[in-house]
Amino acid sequence: MTVQMSDLEAQLTALRDEAQQAIAAITTLEQLEQLRIKYLGKKGSLPQVLGGMGKLDATERPRIGAIANEVKEALQTGLDQKKAALQSAQIEAQLEAEAIDVTMPGVFRPQGHAHPLTSTIEKAIDIFVGLGYTVAQGPEMETDYYNFEALNTPPDHPARDMQDTFYLPDGNLLRTHTSSVQIRYMENNDPPIRIAAPGRCYRRDTVDATHAAVFHQIEILAIDEGLTFNDLRGTIKVFLEAMFGEIEIRFRPSFFPFTEPSAEVDVMWRGRWLEVLGCGMVDPNVLKAVGYDPEIYTGFAAGFGVERFAMVLHQIDDIRRLYASDLRFLRQF
Ligand code: DAH
């Protein structure tokens, strides 16, 4: 049986039209791949039709062959174009699905702010950093040595009394002041030294308007050759003026085991003197305890009560307000 040339030509055109309709109708890349296999795959329709070419008259083959190539190219182009179209549609759809409408009203989240104690510490630290001091820190759980002994505080000193200090069952204690950081820092660093050490302290104080069992101090320590009480006075004055602006201050002679001479500083607040810090020249015994030569080095130290500072800065009448977590109070700062 011979295959009529017109038969094959008609089959090819019909195949092309059918395939093009099918390509136009499909909507997914998977369907497209199935179509490709169906028409152009090894066992697909086009190769099948072409199988009939062998039976063609030799003179007809080139012409039908050319038509077959055209059909094949037309299908291939159709498939390629559809593939590109489906792929970009897929990307479009994905972009659409992931789009964020930036004009939509958001969920309102109230913005918090620093607690007045935190902002007071930050303000004080900023001033000392501006004066060339480095921030130092130490543990809140201390040994007797760092909290008392190395600070020239003899065993019979009242500060060691059970009435004042929280002792832990293992013999350690909760530091009663940040002065312990002085010792830890000097043990690990050589002079000259200038540090500011903020931190939490603990005492068995009866809580009232100006006393809390947990409170904060900032310790400063400067050690160098030739430092005098005048340097201490100048530093404290510059600091308090930067902290509070124009404020009346006075130095009062005092006593601390770790400084000699020692002083307390009061600021004029609401018509009366309010003690805000203790200070003095570092006692030679303290320098000896950390292996510094007191014949070469002198230094000064001070400890500030952060709560007192915050009370003066913000006109707070009762220290307990700082710990009550009452938002009506805190929102004012
Ligand atoms: N540590 C003292 C206190 O808790 C405060 C103090 C006084 C610190 C004199 C010092 C200082 O560094 O020199 O009350």
Side-chain angles (χ1 to χ4, degrees):
M1 184 187 94
T2 58
V3 177
Q4 291 301 303
M5 164 207 99
S6 54
D7 263 10
L8 264 187
E9 193 177 344
Q11 280 181 37
L12 282 170
T13 345
L15 181 72
R16 187 193 60 203
D17 293 348
E18 180 201 312
Q20 275 171 347
Q21 273 174 19
I23 290 170
I26 59 124
T27 52
T28 68
L29 285 165
E30 294 76 47
Q31 290 170 343
L32 188 71
E33 176 61 7
Q34 280 161 16
L35 275 192
R36 191 190 64 75
I37 295 167
K38 179 174 172 198
Y39 290 107
L40 300 182
K42 258 192 193 141
K43 294 174 185 162
S45 316
L46 187 65
Q48 258 171 31
V49 174
L50 293 182
M53 276 185 52
K55 295 169 185 158
L56 273 183
D57 202 274
T59 54
E60 290 294 347
R61 268 185 221 152
R63 208 177 66 81
I64 297 298
I67 295 175
N69 272 339
E70 267 169 43
V71 170
K72 187 176 172 188
E73 266 165 38
L75 291 190
Q76 192 59 59
T77 311
L79 287 166
D80 289 348
Q81 282 171 353
K82 186 75 182 192
K83 186 171 184 182
L86 284 175
Q87 277 172 339
S88 65
Q90 200 174 50
I91 291 169
E92 288 290 321
Q94 191 175 351
L95 287 178
E96 181 92 12
E98 289 172 4
I100 295 168
D101 181 358
V102 291
T103 65
M104 256 170 63
V107 181
F108 176 71
R109 301 207 190 285
Q111 177 131 47
H113 61 77
H115 189 280
L117 284 178
T118 307
S119 60
T120 303
I121 291 173
E122 280 170 0
K123 183 171 184 187
I125 291 294
D126 277 354
I127 295 166
F128 280 108
V129 167
L131 294 172
Y133 284 64
T134 305
V135 176
Q137 268 174 326
E140 290 174 25
M141 186 181 84
E142 266 301 2
T143 63
D144 182 274
Y145 179 78
Y146 287 106
N147 199 79
F148 294 126
E149 195 182 329
L151 286 161
N152 197 35
T153 307
D156 58 354
H157 193 278
R160 292 192 175 203
D161 199 315
M162 297 290 285
Q163 305 295 320
D164 292 309
T165 305
F166 286 110
Y167 285 96
L168 299 169
D170 62 1
N172 288 323
L173 50 85
L174 297 178
R175 70 178 174 197
T176 58
H177 51 189
T178 43
S179 302
S180 50
V181 184
Q182 291 186 26
I183 304 299
R184 288 187 176 272
Y185 194 86
M186 286 192 286
E187 274 185 352
N188 293 306
N189 295 274
D190 291 325
I193 277 175
R194 275 168 184 72
I195 54 161
R200 201 169 282 155
C201 306
Y202 303 82
R203 275 187 216 173
R204 293 173 78 109
D205 267 331
T206 308
V207 177
D208 64 20
T210 50
H211 292 87
V214 183
F215 57 98
H216 297 76
Q217 288 189 338
I218 298 173
E219 191 83 10
I220 64 151
L221 172 69
I223 307 281
D224 210 335
E225 291 181 42
L227 287 180
T228 67
F229 196 86
N230 249 348
D231 298 308
L232 169 60
R233 265 186 73 92
T235 303
I236 297 295
K237 196 169 178 311
V238 164
F239 167 66
L240 289 177
E241 279 170 7
M243 198 73 195
F244 299 114
E246 279 300 304
I247 195 164
E248 216 184 325
I249 66 174
R250 78 171 181 196
F251 279 72
R252 239 181 330 102
S254 183
F255 172 80
F256 297 102
F258 32 91
T259 44
E260 180 58 36
S262 306
E264 280 175 313
V265 177
D266 303 332
V267 297
M268 181 54 83
W269 189 58
R270 296 185 160 181
R272 61 188 180 94
W273 291 109
L274 180 73
E275 180 209 322
V276 288
L277 66 91
C279 61
M281 300 306 290
V282 178
D283 194 289
N285 285 338
V286 174
L287 297 177
K288 278 187 212 149
V290 297
Y292 287 4
D293 185 347
E295 297 298 325
I296 302 177
Y297 296 107
T298 55
F300 59 80
F304 318 125
V306 175
E307 281 75 3
R308 290 278 171 93
F309 276 24
M311 289 169 80
V312 173
L313 269 181
H314 299 296
Q315 309 290 324
I316 298 165
D317 57 357
D318 192 320
I319 198 171
R320 287 166 290 196
R321 293 193 196 282
L322 289 167
Y323 293 102
S325 296
D326 183 339
L327 287 179
R328 292 170 304 174
F329 169 76
L330 293 174
R331 284 204 179 105
Q332 298 176 75
F333 304 101

